[in-house]
Amino acid sequence: MPVQPIKFYQSGSFVVGNRLLDPDQRSVQADPNRTNSLNSGHRACQGCGEALGARYALDAAMRATNNQLIAVNATGCLEVFSTPYPETSWQIPWLHSLFGNAPAVSTGVAAALKAKGRTDVRVVGQGGDGGTVDIGFACLSGMFERNDDVLYICYDNEAYMNTGVQRSGSTPPAATTMTTQAVGPEPGNRFGQGKNVPLIAMAHEIPYVATATVADLRDLEYKVRRAMEFRGARYLHVFVPCPLGWGTASCDTIRIARLAVHTGLFPVFEAEHGEVVDVTRIPRQVPVAEYLRPQRRYRHLFGASPRPDVVARIQQIADRNIRRFGLLAAEPAPTAQEAP
Amino acid sequence: MVLRQIEGSRGVAEAVARCRPEVICAYPISPQTHIVEALSAQVKSGALAPCEFVTVESEFAAMSVAIGASATGARAYTATASQGLLYMVEAIYNASGLGLPIVMTVANRAIGAPINIWNDHSDSMSQRDSGWVQLYAETNQEAVDLHVQAFRLAEEVSLPVMVCMDGFVLTHAVERIDVPEQEQVDAFLPAYQPRQLLDPAEPVSIGAMVGPEAFTEVRYLAHARQMQALELIPRVAADFERVFGRSSGGLVRPYRTQDAETVVVALGSVLGTLKDTVDELRDQGHRIGVLGIISFRPFPLADVRAAVGQAARVVVLERALAVGIGGIVTSNVRMALSGNGTRDYTVIAGLGGRAITRASLREMLLAAEADRLEPLTFLDLNRPLVERELARAGERRMSGPAAENMLRDAGPATPWIG
């Protein structure tokens, strides 16, 4: 565990007392002089996981680079809610070009900086799962393959939320979206589809790949900081619940993200040069039903005509992740050979 | 002045290198490849430094890399053609919308289907409304010179510029070129000073969403910049002549148009053949002239009117086709001649590398002079070939793939490539 575990929870909630920590162990967000890279006043929905993840990630990146940072943004919620003309929430140099080209635009920024000898200035490219997993995927793979000096962050809310919740290549099985509706014999998104971009990123053998969630923001900050210690292509895949698209309560964003980790559905790990170097262990595996039930996108699995068969198939996915990544606390970490 | 016998692509590559681009991105597509191959060697050897050469995974990425680089204050260059140009279209509009002064060579080539690697103007003509300045080179010397002017022009008006040169006909032709010396280019082209910059010292947001409250104004500004370019292009050309001692570029180039009753309008390398044909006809007493359009965007309405306005008729020779109506350049020329009463003819010629011969041009021009030409003429069209396929399609529903049918009917290789 790269981040010092904090065990002194103050209440039944998971609120952590920063003041009880050594200053160097405190969250970047605890610093009143943090950069507020994505400042308040933007128009994200209440409980937006992406806004939360982006704020933590970019402030951490700013601290790691001594505020020498340029951000490139794909089209999507993050772009739209942060810059309704003439307002902008961005306190850092920020460029939005298109939906599918953020990794390539980031490459261009990095190339310009290199040509100008400004290697002190670093580049973060960012987008949602649609912009990353689907339409921007060729540019992402190209950026990885060339090992361009870019940290690319995908905020994954598992569908096209900005256009009104349609299926993406990151939408999980059985989830309903406006293009995978809860109708027919196999309601929701199909099983056996979708792609795991963190593993694909690792297959490019780039210096650093990590996953994180907004349930563990200190871990997210650590991974951004760690990513900035490398030169070359780096990839950070952040799980960000979407109250609007998932049909969850705005106050449940963190809880849902934590359940995704604790069920085993979203493995949190770090990899360097194509090999897993660390995984976040699950203290106690939670049945997937606990994660699925609070989300309206899975409502068809539980109501009047429940589908325990489908829930069981999702449970199999979680169980496989736990085996594959060695997620349970008692299990040994995977060796390099066994790494997925 | 050093004249060298070199390939057009190599000449362009050397001229571009002397413009000191800081980021070059390239994806291979014929017939543009020789340009970026030569540039990659320049960067790799250290002859061109500082410069980053990025081998991207697609043309869409090439233009995107150029966008990021340009917004970060680097002089950015790329080259493409045909399908590649179409593949980057979304980013092409984005670059001009953002006002980024990227320079790109388009080695003009046909667009499929059917796939065809040879020259015509279908690719760049499809981007005439993209907001880019479009300059068309008549010769390899002009292609070289236009690149040097393009960077200057782009950066002064903060607009991207396409330098269009005929694929193979120019890119692969070896002829004498005076490649600009470094000192001359440095005297002509100042260092890139961007109007907008991604800089941690002064953070700005670039690429925000703009709603109905200002979108029209932002678009109007793009037009206003092109109108500025219209004034700037002749000044840049004059400045170029002062530094380099030769005339290159500008908006239009009239040739023997004075007292001409018929003026042929065209763009690119076909102008050479046209001038030869017109010389021949002039010798025989025909009052005929040629107008070469160098700047297609912005379109020089006043200059075209001034050069053609006195003529009784204008023939627009087009190397692209607006399917369903006919001429692309014609409609622009017609706008320039609005209210003039000039008769106009559209001649579609040289599609997909079809040779445009002096004999065919001469016959066509004589027909035009006698007003015997169809308003829309396809030069050297093999009409029986078309008729046969039309008949086949009329006979039965499952008539098969049309292009392949026609190739089979046409028989083995033909001497049409030019």
Side-chain angles (χ1 to χ4, degrees):
Chain A
M1 175 65 74
V3 179
Q4 179 188 315
I6 306 168
K7 297 186 176 172
F8 34 85
Y9 296 117
Q10 290 179 316
S11 64
S13 77
F14 287 95
V15 174
V16 170
N18 247 314
R19 286 168 300 162
L20 302 176
L21 287 170
D22 288 338
D24 66 336
Q25 285 292 327
R26 290 180 192 174
S27 161
V28 177
Q29 291 300 315
D31 182 353
N33 296 319
R34 68 185 182 274
T35 49
N36 287 317
S37 309
L38 174 61
N39 212 349
S40 58
H42 59 69
R43 300 179 189 180
C45 307
Q46 192 177 39
C48 172
E50 185 174 37
L52 179 65
R55 179 158 64 88
Y56 270 73
L58 288 167
D59 280 355
M62 281 289 274
R63 178 179 277 189
T65 59
N66 196 26
N67 299 340
Q68 300 301 300
L69 191 73
I70 292 172
V72 174
N73 218 120
T75 307
C77 282
L78 180 59
E79 168 262 321
V80 170
F81 75 61
S82 64
T83 55
Y85 185 86
E87 295 159 7
T88 177
S89 284
W90 298 101
Q91 308 296 305
I92 56 177
W94 180 89
L95 172 63
H96 161 246
S97 175
L98 298 169
F99 197 4
N101 71 353
V105 174
S106 304
T107 290
V109 173
L113 293 168
K114 194 171 171 198
K116 291 182 171 299
R118 288 298 306 271
T119 45
D120 57 320
V121 183
R122 307 296 297 277
V123 190
V124 168
Q126 51 183 358
D129 50 294
T132 306
V133 170
D134 291 345
I135 198 168
F137 190 67
C139 286
L140 185 72
S141 178
M143 187 273 281
F144 287 164
E145 167 275 313
R146 292 185 302 267
N147 201 24
D148 297 327
D149 190 21
V150 172
L151 167 61
Y152 189 90
I153 304 176
C154 171
Y155 305 104
D156 181 8
N157 56 22
E158 301 188 331
Y160 289 88
M161 301 314 184
N162 191 44
T163 43
V165 194
Q166 295 86 17
R167 179 203 181 271
S168 80
S170 189
T171 301
T176 52
T177 66
M178 294 307 286
T179 50
T180 55
Q181 299 197 13
V183 293
E186 292 200 27
N189 195 32
R190 288 173 63 177
F191 280 79
Q193 295 185 333
K195 52 183 143 177
N196 188 324
V197 175
L199 294 185
I200 296 170
M202 283 170 61
H204 288 76
E205 308 214 347
I206 57 176
Y208 188 74
V209 174
T211 64
T213 78
V214 288
D216 193 348
L217 291 161
R218 284 165 48 78
D219 179 63
L220 171 59
E221 287 182 338
Y222 155 75
K223 281 167 176 164
V224 171
R225 193 171 74 240
R226 178 71 181 136
M228 283 305 182
E229 290 170 3
F230 293 88
R231 289 277 169 177
R234 291 142 289 144
Y235 182 70
L236 185 54
H237 192 102
V238 188
F239 185 85
V240 292
C242 171
L244 179 78
W246 296 9
T248 51
S250 293
C251 59
D252 272 348
T253 295
I254 306 296
R255 185 169 78 89
I256 295 291
R258 181 172 293 107
L259 283 167
V261 176
H262 286 188
T263 51
L265 284 172
F266 187 82
V268 176
F269 64 94
E270 269 186 296
E272 293 179 12
H273 304 288
E275 292 177 19
V276 173
V277 295
D278 196 26
V279 298
T280 297
R281 312 258 175 230
I282 302 171
R284 176 184 66 84
Q285 188 186 358
V286 175
V288 294
E290 286 190 36
Y291 166 74
L292 303 173
R293 204 186 302 270
Q295 304 184 46
R296 201 166 57 235
R297 63 176 170 160
Y298 295 114
R299 178 169 53 182
H300 56 288
L301 303 182
F302 297 99
S305 41
R307 293 293 301 266
D309 56 326
V310 176
V311 174
R313 290 182 77 182
I314 297 172
Q315 185 64 53
Q316 283 173 9
I317 294 169
D319 293 347
R320 176 164 184 261
N321 280 341
I322 283 172
R323 282 197 310 277
R324 195 179 188 190
F325 290 89
L327 295 177
L328 277 182
E331 292 184 17
T335 65
Q337 284 73 34
E338 290 167 346
Chain B
M1 180 165 107
V2 187
L3 285 173
R4 286 159 60 205
Q5 189 82 5
I6 55 172
E7 191 196 45
S9 295
R10 181 161 290 276
V12 166
E14 291 192 20
V16 167
R18 283 165 198 179
C19 294
R20 303 186 189 278
E22 292 159 294
V23 174
I24 298 171
C25 30
Y27 187 81
I29 183 166
S30 299
Q32 148 281 154
T33 40
H34 290 184
I35 300 172
V36 292
E37 284 169 5
L39 281 165
S40 80
Q42 294 248 14
V43 176
K44 185 100 176 164
S45 69
L48 172 54
C51 181
E52 289 295 308
F53 189 91
V54 188
T55 52
V56 287
E57 74 284 352
S58 73
E59 288 88 357
F60 177 63
M63 186 47 59
S64 302
V65 168
I67 287 168
S70 186
T72 313
R75 186 170 283 163
Y77 170 82
T78 188
T80 192
S82 184
Q83 316 295 139
L85 186 72
L86 294 202
Y87 197 58
M88 64 165 68
V89 167
E90 193 189 12
I92 284 175
Y93 276 75
N94 192 250
S96 57
L98 292 171
L100 296 172
I102 298 158
V103 170
M104 172 165 69
T105 310
V106 175
N108 287 109
R109 169 183 151 182
I111 288 170
I115 186 167
N116 175 300
I117 64 165
W118 308 105
N119 168 235
D120 70 28
H121 290 167
S122 307
D123 50 4
S124 55
M125 280 293 159
S126 78
Q127 296 309 301
R128 63 191 180 275
D129 300 333
S130 67
W132 283 58
V133 170
Q134 285 193 341
L135 307 175
Y136 286 77
E138 179 180 337
T139 63
N140 276 341
Q141 183 65 62
E142 188 163 61
V144 162
D145 296 345
L146 284 179
H147 280 85
V148 181
Q149 297 185 28
F151 281 106
R152 166 96 174 263
L153 181 66
E155 289 165 16
E156 282 199 25
V157 289
S158 209
L159 276 180
V161 177
M162 255 176 233
V163 180
C164 306
M165 62 190 293
D166 286 321
F168 294 112
V169 178
L170 293 182
T171 55
H172 288 52
V174 175
E175 59 182 9
R176 272 195 325 183
I177 304 175
D178 177 9
V179 178
E181 301 293 326
Q182 187 65 65
E183 303 76 49
Q184 291 176 307
V185 176
D186 288 345
F188 175 77
L189 180 65
Y192 173 33
Q193 287 186 304
R195 284 184 184 274
Q196 53 186 340
L197 183 63
L198 294 169
D199 179 7
E202 286 181 55
V204 290
S205 300
I206 303 176
M209 177 172 263
V210 176
E213 66 277 23
F215 195 79
T216 304
E217 286 69 20
V218 173
R219 296 312 300 157
Y220 179 82
L221 188 70
H223 181 67
R225 279 180 175 162
Q226 286 245 351
M227 293 304 101
Q228 287 173 357
L230 203 57
E231 289 178 18
L232 193 59
I233 288 167
R235 293 216 303 272
V236 168
D239 228 26
F240 183 90
E241 187 167 2
R242 190 176 49 75
V243 174
F244 294 85
R246 66 173 169 272
S247 169
S248 239
L251 294 168
V252 296
R253 187 171 298 123
Y255 181 77
R256 305 185 82 165
T257 49
Q258 278 198 339
D259 82 350
E261 286 175 346
T262 306
V263 174
V264 198
V265 177
L267 296 77
S269 64
V270 74
L271 284 164
T273 318
L274 261 178
K275 286 178 189 175
D276 288 350
T277 313
V278 161
D279 283 345
E280 221 175 81
L281 289 168
R282 276 276 181 186
D283 288 347
Q284 292 159 10
H286 298 275
R287 286 164 61 184
I288 189 161
V290 180
L291 180 70
I293 294 176
I294 302 158
S295 169
F296 188 64
R297 285 292 180 274
F299 191 79
L301 289 170
D303 299 74
V304 171
R305 191 181 176 93
V308 182
Q310 307 307 314
R313 67 187 69 77
V314 59
V315 178
V316 185
L317 190 76
E318 310 225 21
R319 304 197 78 159
L321 170 64
V323 179
I325 180 154
I328 299 169
V329 183
T330 309
S331 60
N332 291 259
V333 170
R334 202 175 280 146
M335 193 161 189
L337 301 176
S338 172
N340 228 29
T342 318
R343 286 190 292 285
D344 56 66
Y345 299 96
T346 301
V347 178
I348 308 294
L351 296 188
R354 171 74 55 92
I356 303 176
T357 64
R358 259 158 74 171
S360 297
L361 285 177
R362 185 188 154 83
E363 194 183 328
M364 178 273 289
L365 288 173
L366 289 173
E369 217 176 22
D371 287 317
R372 285 188 285 105
L373 204 61
E374 290 291 316
L376 176 61
T377 299
F378 287 75
L379 195 70
D380 293 333
L381 181 72
N382 184 345
R383 204 166 281 283
L385 197 64
V386 179
E387 299 296 344
R388 216 166 143 183
E389 175 58 20
L390 284 173
R392 184 163 30 225
E395 281 162 17
R396 57 177 181 277
R397 181 57 170 259
M398 184 66 91
S399 56
E404 288 70 11
N405 285 344
M406 292 167 93
L407 268 184
R408 198 167 48 242
D409 290 347
T414 54
W416 291 106
I417 296 168

